[in-house]
């Protein structure tokens, strides 16, 4: 603690940082909890012949947040894999990723480094249809790349190692970068994949569309079933809640430590003032008694015994308040009776 009982700059900064981090974690937790509650309250509809009637009865022919499960089917043409025969899909993502080792001058270690140097995503219109395609009801999926939890299946993956000459190796050690190679990956959302869609379900003329919701809730296209998706979001919210509680307790502990220090400092100052008042009252009482008895008041009296003359200079505080006998009687560690500062050495005082 600094002078006057105020917290130090480090303590104040620590309290401010901990409070800000707790507030940030709480904000993230509230968002995750709102997402989980919204997902739990989403209306589950079946992809069957009654779906069109459900939307006709809904206000504005729209269900703001609905859950629907179906199987992927392309509308017109499908996308073919560039590397795997007879592999058809509706979303295709080709990625080239560079792998290399980078020298860290701080830790003096080689660290793995990955960087996407090229990525291309191709899409085509697709619908969700019932697993048993007999009802003729389809749901057109809009803006699938905006959806969270969109899991694409890796259908091809190959690593092309770098070919290096001896001169290249020396140059790489000098530059601090050692290329390892290029990884080529192809991911696809294949035709026939079972998907769980969560979003706004709307009847637009004769087409039923699943699109991102307008209330700010997440848009999902997941290969998991709805129960697994809900459990994942609830677990995510629970994790952020635990982090918020932990850092909240840390903030409370720091605040309690600072307040306890301030309280102890206040108690010490109060006790010192009380002792000074008692010394002053005792000295005044002694002088009054000496005046009543006709005696001469003792000048420069010791503040402890009020009978002997002050004969000690306390260092480093510089107070002259005690006789040698009372100084010897002070308990260890010896402290000045006036300011309670530790006495490092004593200088005798000689009165002429």
């Amino acid at each position: 603690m600094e002078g006057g009982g105020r917290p130090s700059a480090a303590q104040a900064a620590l309290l401010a940082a901990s409070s800000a981090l707790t507030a940030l974690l709480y904000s993230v937790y509230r968002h995750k909890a709102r997402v989980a509650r919204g997902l739990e309250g989403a209306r589950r509809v079946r992809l069957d012949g009654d779906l069109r009637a459900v939307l006709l009865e809904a206000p504005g022919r729209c269900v703001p947040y609905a859950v629907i499960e179906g199987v992927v089917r392309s509308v017109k043409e499908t996308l073919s894999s560039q590397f795997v025969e007879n592999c058809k899909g509706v979303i295709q993502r080709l990625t080239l990723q560079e792998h290399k080792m980078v020298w860290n001058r701080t830790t003096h270690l080689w660290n793995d480094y990955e960087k996407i140097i090229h990525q291309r995503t191709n899409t085509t219109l697709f619908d969700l249809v019932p697993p048993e395609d007999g009802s003729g009801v389809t749901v057109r999926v809009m803006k699938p790349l905006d959806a969270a939890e969109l899991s694409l299946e890796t259908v091809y993956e190959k690593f092309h190692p770098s070919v290096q000459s001896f001169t290249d190796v020396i140059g790489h050690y000098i530059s601090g970068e050692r290329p390892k190679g290029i990884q080529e990956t192809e991911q696809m959302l294949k035709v026939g994949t079972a998907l769980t869609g969560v979003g706004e379900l709307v009847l637009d003329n004769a087409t039923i569309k699943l699109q991102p919701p307008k209330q700010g809730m997440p848009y999902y296209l997941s290969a998991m079933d709805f129960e697994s998706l809900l459990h994942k979001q609830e677990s995510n919210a629970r994790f952020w809640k635990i982090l918020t509680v932990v850092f909240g307790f840390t903030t409370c502990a720091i605040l309690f430590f600072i307040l306890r220090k301030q309280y102890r400092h206040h108690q010490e100052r109060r006790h010192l003032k009380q002792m000074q008042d008692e010394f002053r009252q005792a000295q005044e009482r002694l002088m009054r008694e000496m005046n009543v008895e006709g005696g001469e008041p003792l000048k420069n009296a010791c503040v402890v015994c009020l009978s002997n003359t002050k004969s000690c200079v306390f260092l480093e505080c510089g107070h002259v308040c005690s006789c040698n006998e009372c100084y010897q009687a002070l308990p260890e560690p010896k402290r000045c009776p006036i300011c309670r500062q530790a006495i490092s050495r004593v200088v005798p005082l000689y009165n002429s």
Side-chain angles (χ1 to χ4, degrees):
M1 304 291 287
E2 293 181 345
R6 296 186 299 271
S8 65
Q11 291 172 343
L14 183 61
L15 179 61
S18 180
S19 301
L21 185 57
T22 302
L24 177 62
L25 292 175
Y26 179 69
S27 175
V28 175
Y29 159 68
R30 286 191 60 182
H31 173 71
K32 298 294 183 181
R34 185 175 68 88
V35 169
R37 287 194 302 268
L39 189 60
E40 186 178 9
R43 181 177 177 180
R44 300 192 65 176
V45 295
R46 294 179 59 86
L47 188 53
D48 54 18
D50 297 331
L51 179 57
R52 191 177 299 274
V54 171
L55 292 175
L56 287 173
E57 295 175 358
R61 297 184 176 184
C62 171
V63 178
Y65 208 46
V67 180
I68 192 165
E69 298 177 348
V71 175
V72 174
R73 187 184 70 181
S74 62
V75 176
K76 296 180 180 179
E77 58 183 13
T78 58
L79 302 174
S80 300
S81 170
Q82 294 187 5
F83 305 98
V84 181
E85 294 183 1
N86 300 323
C87 183
K88 305 290 184 179
V90 292
I91 298 178
Q92 179 189 47
R93 180 171 294 161
L94 300 170
T95 305
L96 292 178
Q97 190 174 40
E98 179 186 14
H99 292 257
K100 60 183 178 181
M101 304 288 288
V102 177
W103 177 255
N104 191 317
R105 291 181 172 84
T106 303
T107 61
H108 299 286
L109 295 173
W110 288 95
N111 298 327
D112 288 324
Y113 178 79
E114 300 175 359
K115 178 183 177 182
I116 295 177
I117 57 178
H118 178 73
Q119 188 174 78
R120 185 177 79 250
T121 302
N122 303 318
T123 62
T124 185
L125 288 176
F126 68 94
D127 293 336
L128 292 181
V129 300
E132 298 81 14
D133 193 5
S135 61
V137 179
T138 62
V139 175
R140 180 70 46 82
V141 178
M142 311 301 295
K143 300 181 179 180
L145 298 182
D146 293 345
E149 302 290 337
L150 179 61
S151 54
L152 303 180
E153 181 182 350
T154 301
V155 297
Y156 175 82
E157 187 174 19
K158 186 175 182 180
F159 183 76
H160 303 277
S162 299
V163 179
Q164 305 174 19
S165 64
F166 179 74
T167 306
D168 294 334
V169 172
I170 296 177
H172 295 155
Y173 271 98
I174 295 175
S175 64
E177 293 186 359
R178 288 163 40 190
K180 296 173 62 177
I182 302 296
Q183 182 170 342
E184 188 176 16
T185 306
E186 182 183 26
Q187 296 173 299
M188 298 190 71
L189 177 60
K190 295 196 292 186
V191 173
T193 303
L195 281 185
T196 299
V198 183
E200 183 182 73
L201 202 61
V202 60
L203 178 61
D204 186 7
N205 295 327
T207 305
I208 302 175
K209 296 181 178 180
L210 178 68
Q211 58 192 18
K214 295 183 176 63
Q215 297 104 340
M217 296 298 292
Y219 180 39
Y220 292 103
L221 286 175
S222 174
M224 296 184 291
D225 57 62
F226 177 70
E227 285 74 16
S228 300
L229 181 62
L230 177 61
H231 178 71
K232 181 179 180 180
Q233 301 306 318
E234 290 176 341
S235 300
N236 199 6
R238 194 157 44 244
F239 169 76
W240 286 101
K241 180 179 180 179
I242 293 173
L243 279 183
T244 303
V245 171
V246 169
F247 279 89
F249 274 118
T250 303
T251 303
C252 292
I254 296 173
L255 180 62
F256 173 77
F257 173 78
I258 294 176
L259 293 178
R260 181 171 174 268
K261 285 286 187 180
Q262 288 183 321
Y263 175 76
R264 291 180 61 182
H265 178 80
H266 174 73
Q267 289 294 99
E268 289 177 358
R269 293 189 60 182
R270 183 178 178 183
H271 180 65
L272 176 60
K273 186 177 183 303
Q274 182 179 0
M275 290 181 60
Q276 291 174 344
D277 292 341
E278 291 176 354
F279 286 146
R280 190 179 307 109
Q281 292 172 6
Q283 187 176 21
E284 292 174 355
R285 185 169 58 253
L286 178 61
M287 295 182 69
R288 285 196 300 269
E289 292 175 355
M290 293 179 66
N291 289 333
V292 170
E293 295 174 358
E296 291 293 331
L298 184 61
K299 296 181 180 180
N300 297 326
C302 171
V303 298
V304 180
C305 64
L306 301 177
S307 57
N308 296 329
T309 305
K310 300 174 183 177
S311 61
C312 298
V313 180
F314 295 153
L315 299 178
E316 302 294 333
C317 65
H319 282 126
V320 182
C321 58
S322 170
C323 62
N324 185 63
E325 288 79 2
C326 291
Y327 164 71
Q328 298 295 337
L330 290 176
E332 296 290 344
K334 296 183 184 298
R335 295 182 179 273
C336 174
I338 300 299
C339 64
R340 305 299 297 168
Q341 185 174 340
I343 301 173
S344 60
R345 60 194 181 97
V346 178
V347 177
L349 178 67
Y350 299 98
N351 296 317
S352 58

